[in-house]
Amino acid sequence: MDNKKMLLGIGILLVAQFSAATYMVLSEDMLEKYSHYQVSTLMFSVAFIMFTAVTVPNALVHGIGQRTLPGIFCILYGGIVSLCLANNLWIWGIQKIGSHKAVIYNNLPPVFALLAGILFLNEIPLPSQVAGVVTILVGLYVFSGKWSQTKSFL
């Protein structure tokens, strides 16, 4: 991979993470006034309009490709579980514990991705991956719960 593609990819990911963090902080005020269903509906409605405006013209020009049973399953799983269910649960969680406490759980996707790779793809984790998972879990323990409320780092 050349450096330009790498820098572009890193830039895109940084903008995405900044956007997600900003949303999480700003949504807390909305979640005090409205239910997580109302916030989710508004969020998904705006996302649908934006996503459709960007993707439909591209799909009309390039087509939607070959549809296979695993591909259809991935699309349905991605839409129903990954986008709708996960985001609704995330918004509900923010409403329950606040964005300042929910933010540490953003570090869990690599843990679940590693476990899914082991379970579904029979992957063997590298020592660095195991060390990363341990680091994430220790960080989650340290910065959540009673331990972080009773210990001081200073």
Side-chain angles (χ1 to χ4, degrees):
M1 177 179 301
D2 66 12
N3 287 339
K4 285 184 181 181
K5 283 186 180 179
M6 179 68 99
L7 288 174
L8 178 61
I10 290 169
I12 290 168
L13 293 172
L14 288 174
V15 169
Q17 288 300 314
F18 176 78
S19 299
T22 303
Y23 162 75
M24 193 173 354
V25 171
L26 296 177
S27 68
E28 194 166 3
D29 286 341
M30 285 180 48
L31 289 167
E32 288 178 9
K33 298 175 188 171
Y34 307 103
S35 75
H36 71 279
Y37 295 113
Q38 291 169 308
V39 174
S40 296
T41 300
L42 178 62
M43 183 184 79
F44 286 125
S45 297
V46 171
F48 175 78
I49 292 166
M50 297 297 293
F51 187 75
T52 302
V54 171
T55 58
V56 168
N58 189 35
L60 291 174
V61 171
H62 299 289
I64 56 173
Q66 235 177 0
R67 290 173 296 281
T68 62
L69 190 57
I72 291 169
F73 174 76
C74 286
I75 290 169
L76 291 174
Y77 182 87
I80 296 168
V81 177
S82 295
L83 293 175
C84 290
L85 181 63
N87 279 303
N88 273 299
L89 291 173
W90 184 255
I91 293 166
W92 191 20
I94 291 172
Q95 186 179 40
K96 296 296 180 190
I97 67 172
S99 62
H100 61 287
K101 291 181 183 175
V103 72
I104 62 171
Y105 295 95
N106 261 343
N107 297 302
L108 285 175
V111 174
F112 293 125
L114 184 67
L115 291 174
I118 293 167
L119 292 173
F120 299 117
L121 303 175
N122 296 319
E123 292 180 348
I124 299 171
L126 299 171
S128 61
Q129 292 172 312
V130 174
V133 165
V134 169
T135 302
I136 290 168
L137 294 176
V138 167
L140 190 63
Y141 174 74
V142 168
F143 291 103
S144 67
K146 292 180 182 177
W147 196 90
S148 66
Q149 294 169 5
T150 59
K151 306 291 182 195
S152 174
F153 292 111
L154 302 174

